[in-house]
Amino acid sequence: MSRIATTGEVLQLIRSGEATTRAEIGRVTALSRPAVTHRVNELLQRGLVVEDAEGPSTGGRPPVRLRFNAAGGVVAVASLGASRTQIALCDLAGDVIERTDLVIDVEEGPDAVLGLVMDTWEKLLEGRGPLAGVGLGVPATVEYARGRTESARVMASWTGVEIPPRIAKRFPVPVLVDNDVNVIAMGEHRGVYPDQDDLLFVKVSTRIGAGVVSSGAIMRGALGAAGEIGHIPVRDGGGVLCRCGNLDCVDSVASGTAILRTLRERGRDVETLADVTVLVRQGDAETMAVVRQAGRWLGEVIASAVNLLNPSVVVLGGDVAEMFMPLVSGVREVVYQRSTQLATRSLKIERSRLGPGAGITGCALLVIDHILDPDAL
């Protein structure tokens, strides 16, 4: 290193495995032995590092190995959906310690929803600790720097709500808030595609949204509005009025809500997506056609995103994408047809492998990256 290494940078060396003994840290950082000892002792005192069994000897006394202590803290996380929420505790490696799922409508408002989430965290935290941070993904546009939700026409009761101060009153630790699809995209990227620096995650559920990973980092845009593909209009959508006030947004014609509405209009007795799954498995032609057309409309929007962003992989998640292969086929059909040859030369379009767990992973990583950042330490 060209300057004096900080305690945080020493931790990064240990976490990555680049330097796991005091001697290796000294060689990599050019720190003196007392300086290395001081930084390592600080990490040991904080519980972020533990001493492992002795390493192989190169002559003389074997060196003591240093290992990042994932059990040195707990992260409380919640991934909110429009109607379902996953709540969990994770360790400092992002692995789930305990998880519970709740059915709650976010339209009940921030007081009710956040109160229930915090009550659940409190129960899960009994006998555990220390709490190192809190991470939350919400189905709304988020001004990331302030953790402020911006949804003037959708989730109106959440508009202008700064979430971190509300949570910090009860849990005085760093609180990070992001759009729900951004945290899912991060979870998929780090958990499944760590070698793919450019990824587009599209969530198809009650609503439709996207998270963009560019050069290995989440692309949020100037005010956190990047990825709002749900309100891009499609061609020949039939003049469907979207809740945002525009016509034929892809959200209004290809989401789970839209598929259910269309099938009911065509005489199918469907109350939930599970009913649609039954019809798809039975090979019902009308249902298959509706689902595939939803995939084609979604493919229109994704094709434009592929031309603009040139991702190496498009991941389709959310319960609609995970349940209905005809929708995925419709997306692939249009994207490979309409995107440029270069952009699709090595493009993969895959269904999510992590499922709902991606949001939990992403929320945990959001917090861990912040609290273990060298500058933060």
Side-chain angles (χ1 to χ4, degrees):
M1 292 185 176
S2 59
R3 56 181 175 75
I4 297 176
T6 65
T7 300
E9 288 166 336
V10 169
L11 177 62
Q12 295 301 101
L13 292 173
I14 297 170
R15 288 180 70 195
S16 67
E18 185 177 350
T20 59
T21 67
R22 290 169 174 80
E24 289 173 351
I25 292 169
R27 283 196 295 271
V28 172
T29 63
L31 289 171
S32 66
R33 184 177 296 178
V36 170
T37 298
H38 174 75
R39 285 158 176 73
V40 170
N41 286 345
E42 186 177 355
L43 293 172
L44 288 168
Q45 289 168 6
R46 292 191 187 190
L48 294 174
V49 166
V50 293
E51 292 181 324
D52 246 351
E54 294 177 343
S57 174
T58 56
R61 183 178 177 180
V64 174
R65 294 285 181 192
L66 300 167
R67 175 174 56 83
F68 173 62
N69 182 25
V74 175
V75 177
V77 298
S79 179
L80 275 61
S83 58
R84 293 180 301 279
T85 292
Q86 292 88 40
I87 301 175
L89 299 181
C90 298
D91 64 18
L92 296 182
D95 295 327
V96 174
I97 299 170
E98 191 170 352
R99 169 180 160 177
T100 185
D101 293 359
L102 300 177
V103 176
I104 183 169
D105 187 347
V106 291
E107 296 289 358
E108 291 186 24
D111 291 337
V113 174
L114 293 178
L116 179 58
V117 169
M118 287 190 284
D119 287 345
T120 305
W121 282 333
E122 200 159 86
K123 291 176 184 177
L124 295 177
L125 282 166
E126 289 180 3
R128 300 185 189 277
L131 181 64
V134 169
L136 192 70
V138 297
T141 302
V142 176
E143 186 183 343
Y144 180 70
R146 299 171 63 184
R148 173 187 168 106
T149 53
E150 300 288 351
S151 299
R153 291 172 290 189
V154 181
M155 289 174 59
S157 61
W158 290 77
T159 300
V161 174
E162 289 192 29
I163 296 175
R166 293 185 175 216
I167 295 177
K169 284 182 181 179
R170 192 159 166 184
F171 301 102
V173 294
V175 179
L176 284 295
V177 181
D178 204 349
N179 170 265
D180 64 329
V181 190
N182 281 347
V183 297
I184 295 171
M186 183 184 296
E188 288 281 348
H189 166 56
R190 300 273 284 275
V192 182
Y193 302 99
D195 298 327
Q196 306 291 337
D197 285 341
D198 297 279
L199 175 148
L200 175 65
F201 179 86
V202 180
K203 182 182 179 182
V204 193
S205 186
T206 307
R207 297 167 184 168
I208 293 175
V212 181
V213 175
S214 179
S215 300
I218 290 291
M219 178 190 294
R220 296 185 176 89
L223 292 175
E228 291 286 347
I229 68 168
H231 298 285
I232 297 175
V234 299
R235 295 185 298 177
D236 304 322
V240 179
L241 179 65
C242 181
R243 68 184 186 279
C244 74
N246 294 325
L247 296 177
D248 294 338
C249 293
V250 69
D251 191 278
S252 68
V253 298
S255 65
T257 303
I259 290 171
L260 286 169
R261 183 195 65 239
T262 303
L263 287 172
R264 289 167 189 156
E265 291 172 351
R266 298 189 183 185
R268 295 297 185 272
D269 183 18
V270 289
E271 293 295 327
T272 67
L273 291 174
D275 298 329
V276 181
T277 301
V278 171
L279 293 175
V280 168
R281 288 175 177 170
Q282 290 174 349
D284 181 76
E286 188 72 30
T287 303
M288 299 278 280
V290 168
V291 172
R292 192 174 184 96
Q293 180 56 49
R296 292 191 182 106
W297 277 322
L298 182 59
E300 267 188 52
V301 174
I302 294 176
S304 297
V306 167
N307 285 340
L308 182 65
L309 300 169
N310 187 206
S312 55
V313 59
V314 173
V315 181
L316 302 175
D319 45 12
V320 175
E322 290 161 15
M323 293 166 74
F324 305 141
M325 195 61 203
L327 181 132
V328 178
S329 299
V331 170
R332 287 174 174 154
E333 173 190 337
V334 175
V335 170
Y336 289 121
Q337 181 184 75
R338 298 192 180 182
S339 296
T340 65
Q341 184 176 2
L342 182 59
T344 57
R345 179 184 296 171
S346 58
L347 176 70
K348 296 181 291 185
I349 301 176
E350 307 285 354
R351 286 198 287 184
S352 170
R353 297 186 198 173
L354 295 182
I360 291 296
T361 300
C363 286
L365 292 172
L366 187 70
V367 177
I368 292 165
D369 286 351
H370 174 78
I371 62 177
L372 297 185
D373 182 88
D375 291 336
L377 290 174

